[in-house]
Amino acid sequence: MILSILAATPIAGAVLLALLPREPAPHHRAKYVALGVSLITLVLSLVVMAKFDQDAGGYQLTEKHEWIKVFGAYYSLGVNGIGITLILLTTILTPIVILAAFGDRLPDPKSTNAYFAWMLAVEGLAIGAFAATDAFLFYVLFEATLIPLYFLIGSFGGPNRSYAAVKFLIYNLVGGLLMLASIVGLYVISARQGDASFLLSDLQNLDFSTNTERLLFLGFMAAFAIKAPLWPLHTWLPDAAGQATPGTSVLMVSVIDKIGTFGMIRWCLGLFPGASDWASPVVIVLAVISILYGALLAIGQDDIRRLIAFTSVSHFGFIILGIFAFTTTSLAGSTLYMFNHGLSTAALFLVTGMMIARRGSARISDFGGVQKIAPIMSGVLLVAGLSSLSLPGLAPFISEFLVLAGTFTRSIPAAAFATLGIVLAALYILIMYQRVMTGPLKAGNEGVSDLDHREMASLTPAIILIVGLGFFPQPLLNVINPAIDEVISHVGKGDPAPKTPVQIDESATQEGGHG
Amino acid sequence: MIATFSSATDLPPISAPDIEYSLLAPVFIIAGVAVLGVIVEAFWPRSSRFLVQAGLAVVGIVAAFADTIWVFTDLDKLDGSRLARGQVAAEGALAVDGPGVFAWGILLIFGFLSMLLFAERRLEGGLSGFTGRAADAPGSASEAEAIKHRVEHTEVFPLALFALVGMMLFATSNDLLTMFVALEVLSLPLYLLCGLARRRRLMSQEAALKYFLLGAFSSVFFLYGIALTYGYAGSFRLSDIDVAVTNRTGGENMLLAATALMAVGLLFKIGAVPFHTWTPDVYQGAPTPVTAFMAAGTKAAAFLALLRVFFVAFGGSSWDWRPIIVAVAIITMFLGAVVSISQTDVKRMLAYSSIAHAGFLLVGFVGAYAGAKDSSRITSTSSILFYLTVYGVSSIGAFAVVTLVRDSGGETTHLSKWAGLGKTSPVLAGSFALFMLSFAGIPLTGGFIGKWTVFSAAWSGGFWWLVVIGVLVSALAAYFYVRVIVLMFFTEPVGEGPTVAVPSVLTTTVLAVAVIATLGLGIIPGPLLDLAQHAGAFVR
């Protein structure tokens, strides 16, 4: 029941906001209602976390009701360690985003209610998608997230927003519809083998022929690869992030895109382990290309928002690489990376968004020497940037290291090329920082003021978490690891045995350690 | 000679046909009310005739709907074959079975909603949306006079009811002659209704003429198909044709020709490519309430007839016709989706969208999955019934929105005039956006569940690759639905922008019903799906 309440709270908040009468500027009531709802959701998610038994493993806090009998679709929720981590990410980021978005200048100020209502709708649907243990329910929620994001980009973004919104929607819809074909296929196969059911636990017991499994896998994977986004299906992301407001970008990249990588773990690996294994060489190559391509293009960007979008393409490459390397280490790294990347990208998008709003331009070449007049902003950008390039001591480092360490045991070339991505990351972040913040104050930047209290309040939690998890990631890993073990044992690959002889007994090697 | 004349006892006894009045009561009610409408037209004073006609039509439809529910629940008591429930009635002319009665139900719902749109008078300053005196030449002095005297055609209600009777019979006819008669009964009033628009009368008359000529042409194909089928099977009864087709040992050519000709007639009515060319012109020219009625009703009735002919009569030769229908389905989906992208008129765009939807429905149809006794898997028939319900209600809703967006010349259907509608009237634009999302098949709308069911029926019938094509075309189709949303919400209005007329309670009711049904069927489709699934197969 608690999961339903958790997902329903933001949705109810969104409906409430839609019903609230519009008030004259500065629209404080809508903002505070939205913030309040998101904080309540955060508290609820902490309650969920407290109720979640870390050692028990499996799906917990489950609830199940029949939904559409003919389809075998259930309203079935439950969380494992991976799901709860991402739910937590969602509930932490949403209040941060909402608080940071207080100052957003909207094209039509009258639509403030709608702006925050759509944000809360995204949060609720995302929580639902992370908690769904029924393929049909997951699909519906996964696709439904497109609608609020589409309106967020299209109604509240920059001058090219409607092009970006349509591109975003069509790309994601193509993937989603291919997944729909697979969902239909699952239904038919499941109905042939008895009563139709979309429950994860029932679907895992289906017998597929090899070819069927591969085709169904491709449908799911297409949707997730576009969502994640994996090269060469990524081109919608820079456009969307370049036009959207910073808050929308955070929700899109840090939360909704995570449903893609999350879906790969829960649905691709969970339902089609054989096909996932079959496809892994190709996916790994694409992931490595994503890492390098995203990083190289990030270096070449002049628009800060597009730069961050390309860094995300690179980071998602790492996450996908870790997933398809099929080792407990890399998979745990990927899951942790989803959380950390969410935080670090959120901090980057938000702080650069504040910069851009002050300067009135997103071009790196328009900035220069801002550090002198806005030291706090510059400091936050530095921390966020360094976290994005995985500086040790900041959260993403741990996860990137785990991914690479895990991948090394599976494929040395893939890991070696992926490691190059870290070097490139240093380039794109540091060059950007240098041009924007250091040097003499460039003309036109005089009006850039430092962060005010509200903005600091919104960014502080993200920065604290980035630093804190950089030194002490174990609490999160304790939640994640039992779930990862289950996934790996389901895929049935197991960790590869070390090639160098080790002085431990055979059984310990079979079990595989963490990190 | 004289002997035969003198004694009546020499004549063979003529027994009165055995009509199951209670089973067929919904059809009789609508037919009776339509006839009554004609009488009212002749005798009731003109001043209050409009209200009487509208009231009569609505009450008749509600009564028929209530009776339909009763008939549907009673079907369980009748014999039927293994999967089908219901019986052949009226000496074999009609088949009152689950799908047929379900179709009556949805046709009556479509009829009810359309009648409310027909009766809307607030938009034209107290007059209905139909021309005052159809006989006047457009722009003539007598037309001006008719407008001045506020003359109205109240025949539209009985005409629509006759069309509704035709649709109901078309959906349940069990022999080909009845089917042909039903086809004509449904078409003729519609030809006439198309030409009765109050505004843009030349376009409306052109639409009526086009529809009539092409419709008559396709009817002849259908009739020729019936003749060949009779020649092949020696009977008009669908079940006899089935026996002949299933036990055939030769004569393939004649069967193929008969199948093809009948398919032409039926595919014309559902608006499938390459027999679709009438659709955009007629949809655009016809008065919008009539377009709504046609889009929802004709398509539903024609699909039921198509299913009945091909599943019952030609079920035995499905290997012969399925490849062709697959091709038609693919072309229809694709062409409907691609061409609608370039449309600049809302009504034409909705027409092409209806073509695309005919294609998606055909995908479910070619699956030809009839189900098994102990499985609850979605069958082709139930998937199409569900799809038709959702599509029909959303279509009527969408056309209801079209009637409200106006400028000084009446409805403004040019898309550029719709720019910025989301800012001036968010509720109206929001409901139109919802219908668009439903047409596009986005989850949480009825359209998504509908798409899902037809795709699963196709997959069950072994056409998984057609499902993949179907989803890709859906993405293409989504583009143009989304384009309308972009226009309404993300584009600044040009100049003055459209005005949105404030409708009376009638159109508001239609909109509310359509919105609630579109959302409700997306979130809780279970009950209606169970009902469609429970309708079972066709009786023979």
Side-chain angles (χ1 to χ4, degrees):
Chain A
M1 203 49 205
I2 179 87
L3 285 176
S4 288
I5 298 172
L6 181 65
T9 307
I11 302 278
V15 173
L16 175 72
L17 272 179
L19 294 178
L20 274 185
R22 291 179 192 170
E23 42 163 11
H27 309 283
H28 281 312
R29 188 169 59 193
K31 294 171 182 172
Y32 286 113
V33 169
L35 184 63
V37 171
S38 65
L39 286 174
I40 294 172
T41 316
L42 174 61
V43 172
L44 280 173
S45 74
L46 293 175
V47 173
V48 170
M49 193 72 189
K51 284 191 169 186
F52 183 83
D53 184 353
Q54 294 184 4
D55 306 319
Y59 287 92
Q60 300 180 25
L61 306 169
T62 53
E63 43 192 292
K64 184 177 126 186
H65 308 281
E66 196 166 67
W67 178 25
I68 309 173
K69 188 159 170 279
V70 188
F71 294 179
Y74 291 83
Y75 175 79
S76 160
L77 299 180
V79 282
N80 62 359
I82 305 171
I84 201 166
T85 308
L86 290 168
I87 288 179
L88 208 59
L89 173 70
T90 311
T91 56
I92 291 173
L93 283 182
T94 312
I96 294 179
V97 165
I98 288 179
L99 188 60
F102 270 26
D104 283 355
R105 280 193 290 272
L106 306 178
D108 179 7
K110 278 187 296 190
S111 50
T112 311
N113 286 22
Y115 185 48
F116 289 101
W118 286 128
M119 283 191 177
L120 287 177
V122 171
E123 180 184 24
L125 293 171
I127 293 173
F130 289 132
T133 51
D134 176 281
F136 192 84
L137 179 66
F138 171 79
Y139 178 77
V140 166
L141 294 167
F142 175 72
E143 287 288 276
T145 55
L146 294 179
I147 302 171
L149 268 183
Y150 170 68
F151 278 99
L152 277 173
I153 301 170
S155 300
F156 305 104
N160 254 335
R161 57 182 187 269
S162 77
Y163 166 77
V166 172
K167 188 169 181 183
F168 158 80
L169 189 70
I170 296 298
Y171 260 78
N172 283 285
L173 213 52
V174 169
L177 285 165
L178 286 171
M179 182 173 161
L180 175 66
S182 288
I183 294 267
V184 170
L186 277 178
Y187 166 74
V188 173
I189 291 162
S190 138
R192 271 186 203 145
Q193 297 181 10
D195 281 336
S197 163
F198 273 117
L199 286 176
L200 177 62
S201 46
D202 290 339
L203 291 176
Q204 284 179 334
N205 295 327
L206 288 182
D207 295 321
F208 301 109
S209 72
T210 312
N211 278 332
T212 316
E213 186 187 354
R214 287 176 183 176
L215 285 169
L216 294 177
F217 166 82
L218 287 178
F220 274 78
M221 191 62 195
F224 297 144
I226 289 178
K227 184 67 89 179
L230 186 65
W231 183 89
L233 306 171
H234 65 280
T235 62
W236 62 271
L237 181 66
D239 284 330
Q243 292 300 322
T245 63
T248 307
S249 298
V250 173
L251 289 177
M252 181 171 69
V253 177
S254 295
V255 177
I256 296 301
D257 287 359
K258 296 297 186 307
I259 303 179
T261 42
F262 165 81
M264 290 179 199
I265 300 179
R266 177 168 288 179
W267 300 105
C268 288
L269 268 56
L271 298 185
F272 317 111
S276 304
D277 187 31
W278 162 75
S280 65
V282 178
V283 178
I284 286 178
V285 169
L286 291 179
V288 172
I289 295 177
S290 274
I291 295 172
L292 299 178
Y293 180 88
L296 285 172
L297 260 72
I299 295 174
Q301 293 304 312
D302 190 36
D303 184 311
I304 299 179
R305 293 168 302 197
R306 291 178 68 88
L307 183 146
I308 302 173
F310 277 111
T311 68
S312 288
V313 172
S314 176
H315 292 312
F316 274 111
F318 278 108
I319 298 175
I320 297 170
L321 178 67
I323 292 171
F324 280 84
F326 300 135
T327 60
T328 45
T329 317
S330 67
L331 203 53
S334 286
T335 310
L336 189 62
Y337 209 151
M338 288 190 227
F339 191 87
N340 294 336
H341 169 259
L343 290 174
S344 96
T345 309
L348 259 183
F349 265 126
L350 293 177
V351 71
T352 53
M354 291 161 189
M355 271 165 47
I356 293 166
R358 286 166 164 75
R359 175 67 181 82
S361 162
R363 296 163 61 86
I364 294 176
S365 45
D366 283 347
F367 286 92
V370 176
Q371 189 183 23
K372 294 185 176 58
I373 49 172
I376 302 179
M377 194 193 307
S378 145
V380 173
L381 178 67
L382 187 63
V383 176
L386 291 178
S387 79
S388 181
L389 65 79
S390 300
L391 189 79
L394 298 174
F397 167 73
I398 317 274
S399 35
E400 202 160 297
F401 181 79
L402 287 176
V403 168
L404 290 173
T407 309
F408 257 108
T409 63
R410 188 69 71 194
S411 159
I412 292 178
F417 277 106
T419 312
L420 278 180
I422 301 185
V423 182
L424 294 173
L427 279 176
Y428 58 68
I429 290 295
L430 292 178
I431 292 176
M432 185 265 286
Y433 182 81
Q434 187 188 1
R435 288 191 189 152
V436 170
M437 292 297 178
T438 60
L441 187 65
K442 211 168 185 173
N445 283 307
E446 298 80 7
V448 179
S449 54
D450 212 345
L451 299 181
D452 62 25
H453 292 297
R454 173 184 58 78
E455 287 165 336
M456 278 195 265
S458 71
L459 288 168
T460 312
I463 299 295
I464 290 178
L465 278 172
I466 289 173
V467 178
L469 287 173
F471 285 100
F472 197 52
Q474 203 53 45
L476 215 47
L477 280 171
N478 285 342
V479 176
I480 294 170
N481 278 333
I484 297 298
D485 289 340
E486 285 161 22
V487 174
I488 289 292
S489 73
H490 182 71
V491 174
K493 287 277 279 187
D495 289 332
K499 295 213 173 71
T500 32
V502 216
Q503 296 300 322
I504 43 172
D505 61 343
E506 196 61 20
S507 63
T509 320
Q510 289 288 319
E511 297 265 320
H514 306 306
Chain B
M1 199 74 176
I2 294 168
T4 47
F5 228 110
S6 62
S7 129
T9 49
D10 285 355
L11 281 174
I14 298 172
S15 54
D18 191 17
I19 306 288
E20 291 80 351
Y21 287 101
S22 65
L23 265 184
L24 301 173
V27 179
F28 285 122
I29 293 175
I30 296 295
V33 173
V35 172
L36 196 60
V38 175
I39 297 171
V40 167
E41 197 59 40
F43 295 110
W44 204 277
R46 189 181 279 278
S47 56
S48 57
R49 202 189 289 160
F50 188 90
L51 290 178
V52 173
Q53 288 284 29
L56 206 57
V58 168
V59 170
I61 290 177
V62 170
F65 184 72
D67 195 37
T68 303
I69 296 174
W70 190 68
V71 172
F72 192 80
T73 47
D74 256 21
L75 284 180
D76 284 328
K77 296 179 192 151
L78 302 171
D79 334 326
S81 66
R82 199 166 51 89
L83 289 164
R85 299 168 318 110
Q87 71 173 56
V88 172
E91 302 282 338
L94 296 174
V96 183
D97 49 12
V101 180
F102 189 96
W104 284 357
I106 59 174
L107 286 170
L108 288 166
I109 293 173
F110 299 159
F112 176 77
L113 296 175
S114 308
M115 285 310 111
L116 295 185
L117 292 182
F118 274 47
E120 172 70 59
R121 287 167 107 188
R122 185 177 290 186
L123 303 175
E124 293 283 359
L127 293 173
S128 74
F130 296 95
T131 178
R133 213 156 53 189
D136 297 334
S140 66
S142 55
E143 188 193 28
E145 186 193 80
I147 293 172
K148 195 178 138 210
H149 288 102
R150 304 178 71 79
V151 189
E152 282 175 293
H153 265 307
T154 47
E155 293 92 336
V156 291
F157 293 102
L159 282 173
L161 288 185
F162 278 121
L164 191 57
V165 172
M167 290 173 187
M168 290 168 76
L169 290 175
F170 202 38
T172 43
S173 40
N174 192 44
D175 74 44
L176 294 177
L177 273 188
T178 315
M179 194 171 269
F180 181 72
V181 173
L183 174 68
E184 292 305 309
V185 172
L186 102 80
S187 304
L188 287 171
L190 283 179
Y191 299 148
L192 196 51
L193 284 169
C194 283
L196 293 182
R198 177 172 287 275
R199 313 266 189 161
R200 298 193 189 86
R201 288 188 57 201
L202 280 176
M203 214 161 135
S204 169
Q205 291 176 359
E206 182 193 325
L209 191 67
K210 268 188 189 160
Y211 193 22
F212 172 68
L213 286 178
L214 289 172
F217 194 47
S218 81
S219 293
V220 175
F221 273 92
F222 189 64
L223 194 61
Y224 197 11
I226 292 177
L228 289 186
T229 312
Y230 185 79
Y232 180 80
S235 168
F236 290 120
R237 282 281 289 270
L238 298 183
S239 49
D240 295 342
I241 299 167
D242 176 41
V243 172
V245 170
T246 314
N247 301 331
R248 71 186 184 279
T249 48
E252 287 284 335
N253 290 341
M254 191 150 160
L255 176 64
L256 287 179
T259 315
L261 288 169
M262 294 201 55
V264 170
L266 291 166
L267 291 175
F268 174 86
K269 277 289 160 200
I270 63 169
V273 178
F275 316 107
H276 67 287
T277 43
W278 60 277
T279 320
D281 290 340
V282 174
Y283 274 37
Q284 187 186 16
T288 309
V290 176
T291 315
F293 183 50
M294 256 184 345
T298 312
K299 189 156 275 175
F303 247 101
L304 260 287
L306 183 77
L307 291 178
R308 212 177 271 284
V309 168
F310 279 82
F311 286 0
V312 178
F314 298 131
S317 63
S318 67
W319 288 109
D320 293 330
W321 54 258
R322 274 165 92 178
I324 304 296
I325 300 288
V326 167
V328 171
I330 294 174
I331 304 171
T332 306
M333 288 190 293
F334 191 74
L335 195 120
V338 170
V339 178
S340 51
I341 292 177
S342 65
Q343 296 307 310
T344 52
D345 183 280
V346 178
K347 283 169 90 177
R348 288 185 83 85
M349 189 211 84
L350 288 172
Y352 279 104
S353 133
S354 100
I355 294 171
H357 283 286
F360 290 120
L361 281 157
L362 284 175
V363 168
F365 166 63
V366 286
Y369 178 70
K373 185 74 178 164
D374 52 349
S375 160
S376 62
R377 190 151 30 129
I378 305 271
T379 62
S380 284
T381 311
S382 57
S383 74
I384 287 175
L385 288 174
F386 185 86
Y387 198 113
L388 286 170
T389 314
V390 175
Y391 169 74
V393 175
S394 303
S395 282
I396 294 179
F399 282 112
V401 174
V402 173
T403 63
L404 297 180
V405 182
R406 311 177 75 87
D407 62 12
S408 55
E411 292 161 8
T412 60
T413 50
H414 198 277
L415 269 176
S416 64
K417 292 288 182 57
W418 284 51
L421 196 66
K423 294 198 175 69
T424 49
S425 46
V427 175
L428 192 74
S431 18
F432 198 71
L434 176 71
F435 302 137
M436 292 295 114
L437 291 176
S438 175
F439 287 153
I442 306 279
L444 297 180
T445 63
F448 165 67
I449 307 282
K451 279 239 167 75
W452 199 93
T453 55
V454 291
F455 286 154
S456 78
W459 194 309
S460 292
F463 285 95
W464 67 266
W465 53 271
L466 189 59
V467 174
V468 175
I469 295 178
V471 297
L472 290 176
V473 178
S474 298
L476 203 63
Y479 175 75
F480 74 81
Y481 295 122
V482 165
R483 213 171 54 112
V484 181
I485 299 181
V486 167
L487 200 68
M488 290 192 302
F489 286 94
F490 308 156
T491 314
E492 291 303 319
V494 189
E496 289 271 307
T499 53
V500 173
V502 181
S504 71
V505 68
L506 300 172
T507 308
T508 316
T509 312
V510 173
L511 267 178
V513 169
V515 166
I516 292 171
T518 307
L519 264 183
L521 291 177
I523 298 170
I524 327 165
L528 187 74
L529 269 174
D530 284 343
L531 214 59
Q533 190 70 6
H534 189 62
F538 296 105
V539 296
R540 283 150 195 268

